Amino acid sequence: MKTESSVKNQLFVPAEWRIAMNNEISTKNPLGENPVNSLLYQFAVPSIIAMLVSSLYNIVDQFFIGRSVGALGNAATNISFPLSISCVAIALLFGIGGASAFNIAMGMGEKENAVNYLANSAAMLFLGGVALTAVTLIFLEPLLKFFGSPDNVLEYAKVYTRIVALGFPFLIFTSGGGHLIRADGRPKISMVCNLAGALINTVLDALFVFVLNMGMAGAAYATIIGQIVSGLMAAWYLAHCRTIKIKKENLRVRWKYISRVMSLGTAPCANQLAMMVVQIVMNKSLKYYGSLSVYGESIPIACAGIITKVNQVFMSFIIGISQGLQPITSFNYGAGRYGRVRSAYRSAVACGAVLAVIAFILFQTIPHQIISLFGTGSEEYYRFAENYFHIFLFFTFINFMQPISSNFFTSIGKPVKGTFLSLTRQIIFLLPLLIIIPLFMGIDGIMYSGPVADGLAGVISIVMVCLEFRKMPA
């Protein structure tokens, strides 16, 4: 039985302690015993489905809004999108961070510590959502203008965002709670929570938008009703964990647990925050350079918003794989089973590569058909959308490396490396390129900044993981 002092000292676990793990504990846990490929399939498939279902919230709204309100409605959802990214950032900060801390602690046999990590993370997920809702409602119009809203889009964006903001606590709790539920060894439950909300959203979207003609407000109400149902389901399952028992006192937020959780969740959270910053700069750039082109202000914003969310479908597979990888690598790294850590990572990368090639082929060959799913537009509308698919997403076939590798470093308790890697694509490369290249190439420069950033981030990911594997004991 370890003392309170020794527990505190294990918040950052030295490698030699992991090697000296209690092997009896690890062999009794399926994460340390079952075949790696089987575990990856078991955890990744439900995670992928959960991520796909989450992306459906945005895709479904784009579909119904595009066919009822039109391009200005789609542009409005893109203006609001940075707030959705903020929700994901908070969910990953306490969801991935809490899951990683929980699994590492369980791998070390520190069950009491693990309970506090998970419970504190759950509490912070909901509190973070409440805070984001308050900020959004108080500063709604200034935020939307800051996000790059054209004047003819602003009212649509205000109607939509004012409503969806009410669902932020439930959206964040569902997304982040899903990671905690998976860490408890129940990936299918996480999938069910997300699936229930998405199905409700889809049905109510059709009812509110097409039958009741509620427009933007109808799509927003459908979204938050689905999120509330999913959030309540996730809360119920977390209250009935399989491997631990959460008590009321475990929910009291304490810095010694939250600091560890936040350190492990910083990498995926930083990646999302970077995406938010890039999205804001992107909207402003599309608005400015679009006004100087034949496309105008609204067409580039509408098209880029749709294509970003279509790309999220592909990224849902990749992120789902990385999330499925997390409990496997966290537990086995904590148990000192480094061969299983390497094997799990390589299997995840192989799966990601196959999916990335498929997505690349689709984006390059049928962009017109994809964009047509979200309503009709002018000749300029389709021309910009097709060019954006062809150019901005050209390096889709290597885009799997950075998110999988970033989450890998987080899962093995190396958040600094994970955070750096998560920032490479968005902040270190894409953001400056978005500012510099359009100065010489106009709106086309925005498109060409994407593949350059993707290629550089992919190469750095490969180098960092290879160096980590060389240092890792056999």
Side-chain angles (χ1 to χ4, degrees):
M1 188 73 175
K2 292 181 173 59
T3 65
E4 176 68 21
S5 175
S6 67
V7 170
K8 181 182 294 186
N9 289 334
Q10 288 184 41
L11 289 177
F12 291 89
V13 185
E16 61 269 20
W17 289 15
R18 298 188 185 104
I19 298 174
M21 254 305 292
N22 186 331
N23 287 322
E24 181 180 355
I25 294 174
S26 61
T27 55
K28 288 181 180 179
N29 193 306
L31 291 171
E33 184 69 16
N34 291 359
V36 166
N37 287 339
S38 175
L39 286 170
L40 186 61
Y41 176 85
Q42 175 188 346
F43 281 88
V45 170
S47 298
I48 289 170
I49 295 174
M51 289 299 302
L52 284 172
V53 169
S54 295
S55 69
L56 282 178
Y57 278 109
N58 292 316
I59 290 291
V60 167
D61 280 356
Q62 293 281 180
F63 175 82
F64 286 104
I65 289 172
R67 291 185 172 272
S68 62
V69 180
L72 292 180
N74 276 332
T77 62
N78 191 36
I79 292 300
S80 178
F81 195 52
L83 292 170
S84 297
I85 298 175
S86 299
C87 290
V88 177
I90 297 172
L92 294 178
L93 178 63
F94 298 110
I96 289 286
S100 297
F102 173 81
N103 285 131
I104 291 174
M106 289 292 282
M108 294 179 61
E110 294 289 344
K111 191 171 183 178
E112 183 177 347
N113 225 24
V115 175
N116 286 311
Y117 284 134
L118 190 140
N120 272 230
S121 298
M124 290 301 299
L125 286 169
F126 191 79
L127 293 174
V130 172
L132 183 60
T133 295
V135 170
T136 301
L137 295 179
I138 293 171
F139 303 103
L140 180 61
E141 185 168 331
L143 280 173
L144 295 177
K145 288 182 177 179
F146 177 71
F147 294 159
S149 177
D151 292 338
N152 61 345
V153 174
L154 182 60
E155 287 305 314
Y156 292 103
K158 285 169 64 177
V159 169
Y160 183 79
T161 308
R162 185 180 289 114
I163 298 170
V164 296
L166 300 175
F168 286 168
F170 300 95
L171 171 60
I172 292 171
F173 193 86
T174 301
S175 301
H179 300 295
L180 303 180
I181 292 171
R182 278 191 293 273
D184 186 48
R186 298 182 298 172
K188 292 182 180 178
I189 297 299
S190 174
M191 175 188 69
V192 169
C193 292
N194 283 279
L195 185 60
L199 290 176
I200 291 171
N201 178 36
T202 303
V203 173
L204 292 182
D205 256 327
L207 175 63
F208 293 165
V209 176
F210 285 164
V211 179
L212 301 180
N213 295 316
M214 294 174 65
M216 298 292 294
Y221 281 121
T223 296
I224 66 170
I225 291 172
Q227 291 168 352
I228 290 171
V229 172
S230 292
L232 293 176
M233 290 177 63
W236 190 89
Y237 283 114
L238 282 174
H240 299 81
C241 285
R242 186 174 66 180
T243 58
I244 60 170
K245 176 66 175 178
I246 297 178
K247 299 177 182 178
K248 185 177 180 180
E249 55 265 28
N250 300 128
L251 293 170
R252 183 167 62 88
V253 176
R254 284 175 282 184
W255 177 247
K256 69 175 182 178
Y257 297 115
I258 290 302
S259 60
R260 172 61 165 161
V261 167
M262 292 175 67
S263 72
L264 293 175
T266 296
C269 174
N271 188 48
Q272 292 298 315
L273 293 177
M275 286 178 59
M276 182 182 71
V277 172
V278 169
Q279 184 69 41
I280 295 170
V281 173
M282 177 79 77
N283 286 344
K284 289 178 176 291
S285 298
L286 289 169
K287 176 184 175 182
Y288 176 76
Y289 290 104
S291 68
L292 302 177
S293 71
V294 297
Y295 305 115
E297 289 183 345
S298 300
I299 284 178
I301 292 176
C303 291
I306 294 172
I307 294 167
T308 295
K309 290 164 188 174
V310 170
N311 187 50
Q312 274 195 323
V313 175
F314 156 64
M315 292 305 296
S316 294
F317 284 93
I318 303 304
I319 295 173
I321 290 172
S322 73
Q323 291 175 354
L325 177 68
Q326 177 268 317
I328 305 169
T329 51
S330 288
F331 185 90
N332 285 284
Y333 195 84
R337 297 190 165 196
Y338 302 111
R340 290 174 62 82
V341 173
R342 292 187 183 91
S343 178
Y345 174 83
R346 288 167 180 157
S347 295
V349 165
C351 293
V354 172
L355 293 168
V357 170
I358 293 172
F360 170 77
I361 293 172
L362 293 176
F363 293 163
Q364 294 298 312
T365 58
I366 57 170
H368 187 95
Q369 290 84 342
I370 294 174
I371 201 71
S372 295
L373 294 173
F374 303 93
T376 59
S378 63
E379 180 182 347
E380 288 79 12
Y381 175 86
Y382 284 111
R383 188 194 319 157
F384 182 85
E386 291 173 20
N387 287 339
Y388 201 89
F389 265 117
H390 287 150
I391 300 172
F392 193 81
L393 299 181
F394 181 78
F395 268 135
T396 295
F397 59 85
I398 200 174
N399 276 353
F400 66 95
M401 280 300 304
Q402 189 239 18
I404 292 178
S405 301
S406 174
N407 200 36
F408 166 74
F409 280 110
T410 297
S411 70
I412 62 173
K414 299 193 174 183
V416 174
K417 292 182 178 180
T419 301
F420 168 76
L421 197 54
S422 71
L423 294 176
T424 52
R425 196 260 180 189
Q426 301 289 342
I427 295 296
I428 298 176
F429 299 131
L430 183 56
L431 187 58
L433 290 172
L434 280 174
I435 296 171
I436 296 170
I437 299 181
L439 294 175
F440 304 97
M441 300 180 64
I443 198 164
D444 287 345
I446 296 175
M447 296 188 239
Y448 281 103
S449 63
V452 176
D454 291 338
L456 292 172
V459 170
I460 289 178
S461 300
I462 294 171
V463 171
M464 286 184 63
V465 171
C466 288
L467 292 175
E468 186 66 29
F469 277 0
R470 287 183 182 179
K471 293 189 297 182
M472 197 178 293

